[in-house]
Structure formats: structure tokens, C-alpha cells
């Protein structure tokens, strides 16, 4: 895919998660990603994934790691860096790794970051407050006092290229870099279809009325745990009006979008989202189809 965290996905081998013997057998040859408390991965001097020393891994119980999956028979795991963090020369954040690491490693990093973020913040049961015990190779939090099971959380969100037939609707948030614009996005609410979410979010953020929408593709976005569901939408040529969610929203012509895609931006030019995001792909697809 033309955006990050999709290509090169591991075989998640879900059937092995309850097989402690199989997980332990994979551990001696395991590929292990180590993440610090900020969600950055440990890296070597070349800013590639840091290989933890075999002697250090030999002291780790594989049941405490998150089993990410298999590739070529080798098990891939994720662990909080802990004391091993001091040995690694570099740290690398996920956005940087998406551009600098091989596709498989970057996609595994995204998976690891999302699950470890959930585990770090889901230590107790939300119903009774009991401490959770993680099982199923890190993918299940079990509460012994009340018996509830807790699974990693993924928040679905739509992200949509809205067009009136000639122009593309883009918005910007106040905290973004100057001149940065992106397609609109928002989270799915309970009891709502994705198409309903598209129409509601676009209207809430811009007062532009959507006539129809079509699903195109999806992207995991572990910042910290979203799934971006990409759409294109046909809309009325309403004048955008923003609320407190966006600083501004505007229609952009094909010429303006094309100049931005070619990097022909001046001091007042349009800057788009980086290539790792489905946002950029939606803009590129709209421009190419026009």
C-alpha cells in the first residue's frame, strides 16, 4: 500500500496465543522489539531496530512478552524496554521509523506500540478495580475478582476526501505547523454506521453537507490506538463554517492541490500530510482521478 503500517504484516498466528509451550519454543530465536515508556523503539547506531543481547533475553520469561506473530517460522515479540533501554544508543519514534525502517519492521512496530500502550494503561479492571493478569501471549487482560476479560482497544475513525465535484475540502487544526492542511476525520459513535459518521463529522466540522460516500481503504494509526477508515464523499458546494474542532476549513482547487503534491509551495502555499498517512493517499487519489 502507498501508506505506512499496512504492508509486510506478520502472520499473527492467533492459534498459538494459548499455547505456552509453542511460545516458549519460539523464544530462543525470537525477533524482539523493545519500546520505552514514551512508545519509542530502541535503535542501534544506524537507527535500525536494536537487537537485544541474547544473554539478556535468556533471563526474560516469554510469557511476559507480547507475541506479535510469525515470519518464516520465526517468532516476533514486543517488550517494554525496562533496564535494557540504557544499552541502546538511539530511540526512534513510530513516524520516523515508518520512513526509515523496512516495511515489515515498521508495521510490527505499529502493532507493538498499540498493544503495549493498551497494556500500560489497562492494569486494572474498569468494573471492579481488580488487578489484571495478562494471558493469551499478552492479548488478554483477565480480572480474577470479577471474571471480566479485557482486550486491546481499537477506536474506529473515518477519514474522508470530500469534493463538490471540482474542489477538495481540507481543514486545519490550530496546533499544526503553518500552512498544513488535511482531509477531515472523526471517530465513530455508538450505534452509527460509517456512512453516517462521514456525514455527521463533515457537517459538524465544516457545515458542508455530504450527499454520498464510498469506502476505499483503511490504515492502523497507533497514536495511540485508532483504525482510520478511508472514504471519498460527494458534497454540496457549501461555504465551510468551522467550530472549535478546526481552526479553518476551505475548498481547494485541483491546481492548488497539484502544486502542493509536486512540492511547488511558496510562503503562502498548501502543505499536505506526510506520505506515511492515508490522508495523503486520499488527496493524491482525488487529484489523480480528476
Amino acid at each position: 500500500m502507498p501508506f505506512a503500517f499496512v504492508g509486510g504484516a506478520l502472520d499473527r498466528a492467533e492459534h498459538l496465543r494459548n499455547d505456552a509451550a509453542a511460545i516458549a519454543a519460539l523464544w530462543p530465536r525470537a525477533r524482539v522489539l523493545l519500546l520505552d515508556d514514551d512508545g519509542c523503539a530502541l535503535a542501534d547506531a544506524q537507527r535500525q531496530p536494536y537487537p537485544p543481547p541474547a544473554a539478556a533475553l535468556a533471563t526474560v520469561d516469554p510469557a511476559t512478552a507480547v507475541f506479535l506473530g510469525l515470519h518464516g517460522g520465526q517468532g516476533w515479540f514486543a517488550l517494554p524496554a525496562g533496564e535494557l533501554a540504557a544499552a541502546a544508543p538511539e530511540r526512534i519514534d513510530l513516524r520516523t521509523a515508518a520512513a526509515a525502517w523496512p516495511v515489515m519492521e515498521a508495521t510490527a512496530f505499529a502493532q507493538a506500540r498499540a498493544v503495549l500502550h493498551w497494556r500500560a494503561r489497562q492494569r486494572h479492571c474498569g468494573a471492579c478495580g481488580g488487578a489484571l493478569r495478562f494471558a493469551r501471549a499478552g492479548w488478554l487482560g483477565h480480572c480474577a475478582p470479577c471474571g471480566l476479560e479485557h482486550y486491546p482497544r481499537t477506536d474506529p475513525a473515518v477519514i474522508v476526501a470530500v469534493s463538490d465535484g471540482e474542489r477538495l475540502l481540507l481543514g486545519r487544526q490550530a496546533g499544526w505547523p503553518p500552512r498544513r492542511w488535511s482531509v477531515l476525520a472523526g471517530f465513530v459513535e455508538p450505534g452509527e454506521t460509517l456512512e453516517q459518521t462521514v456525514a455527521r463529522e463533515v457537517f459538524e466540522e465544516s457545515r458542508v453537507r455530504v450527499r454520498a460516500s464510498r469506502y476505499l481503504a483503511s490504515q492502523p494509526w497507533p497514536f495511540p490506538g485508532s483504525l482510520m477508515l478511508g472514504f471519498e464523499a460527494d458534497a454540496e458546494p457549501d461555504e465551510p463554517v468551522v467550530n472549535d474542532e478546526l481552526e479553518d476549513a476551505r475548498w481547494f482547487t485541483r491546481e492548488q492541490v497539484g502544486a502542493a503534491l509536486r512540492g511547488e509551495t511558496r510562503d503562502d502555499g498548501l502543505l499536505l500530510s506526510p506520505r506515511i498517512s492515508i490522508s495523503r493517499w486520499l488527496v493524491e487519489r482525488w487529484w489523480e482521478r480528476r
Side-chain angles (χ1 to χ4, degrees):
M1 291 298 290
F3 43 82
F5 316 136
V6 177
L10 298 170
D11 171 6
R12 298 200 175 201
E14 191 272 345
H15 63 286
L16 296 181
R17 292 177 184 172
N18 276 329
D19 190 337
I23 296 297
L26 292 170
W27 189 248
R29 294 182 53 249
R31 183 76 182 272
V32 181
L33 297 178
L34 299 173
L35 275 63
D36 67 15
D37 292 341
D38 295 323
C40 292
L42 303 193
D44 61 21
Q46 288 72 46
R47 297 179 63 76
Q48 294 299 302
Y50 173 75
L57 289 183
T59 66
V60 176
D61 180 357
T64 64
V66 175
F67 173 58
L68 301 177
L70 296 172
H71 175 64
Q74 183 182 32
W76 287 50
F77 294 81
L79 271 175
E83 296 180 357
L84 292 175
E90 297 285 345
R91 306 287 186 279
I92 188 167
D93 66 88
L94 183 53
R95 285 182 172 87
T96 303
W101 282 12
V103 171
M104 180 171 291
E105 281 77 357
T107 297
F109 183 3
Q111 179 187 356
R113 189 183 191 280
V115 179
L116 290 180
H117 181 275
W118 166 75
R119 283 171 51 119
R121 287 154 181 79
Q122 191 74 26
R123 298 178 183 276
H124 295 85
C125 177
C128 74
L132 297 185
R133 180 182 62 82
F134 291 103
R136 296 196 73 245
W139 291 86
L140 167 68
H142 177 72
C143 177
C146 73
L148 278 181
E149 295 181 342
H150 301 262
Y151 293 88
R153 172 175 171 173
T154 297
D155 297 318
V158 299
I159 183 165
V160 52
V162 179
S163 176
D164 66 355
E166 299 295 331
R167 301 172 296 174
L168 182 67
L169 180 65
L170 300 177
R172 64 167 279 109
Q173 296 182 7
W176 286 357
R179 302 186 288 125
R180 170 64 57 79
W181 296 77
S182 178
V183 295
L184 274 56
F187 289 104
V188 181
E189 292 187 347
E192 188 174 51
T193 68
L194 299 180
E195 293 80 5
Q196 290 167 345
T197 304
V198 168
R200 174 183 57 78
E201 281 289 343
V202 171
F203 187 77
E204 283 182 1
E205 295 186 0
S206 68
R207 289 298 184 264
V208 171
R209 293 167 294 167
V210 167
R211 296 195 304 267
S213 62
R214 295 165 294 282
Y215 170 78
L216 298 176
S218 62
Q219 180 187 31
W221 195 246
F223 301 102
S226 300
L227 176 64
M228 307 306 295
L229 303 160
F231 279 77
E232 61 182 4
D234 304 319
E236 303 291 345
D238 301 323
E239 186 65 25
V241 178
V242 299
N243 56 20
D244 57 354
E245 292 190 53
L246 293 177
E247 180 184 71
D248 198 1
R250 298 181 196 171
W251 292 107
F252 289 85
T253 67
R254 187 179 188 280
E255 290 71 23
Q256 290 173 307
V257 172
L261 290 173
R262 293 188 297 271
E264 300 170 1
T265 55
R266 300 179 176 86
D267 291 341
D268 60 348
L270 167 65
L271 292 179
L272 298 171
S273 302
R275 293 186 182 277
I276 69 167
S277 71
I278 193 174
S279 170
R280 175 64 171 255
W281 177 77
L282 288 170
V283 173
E284 291 175 346
R285 187 179 188 278
W286 174 84
W287 184 81
E288 291 167 357
R289 287 169 60 87
R290 294 300 181 276

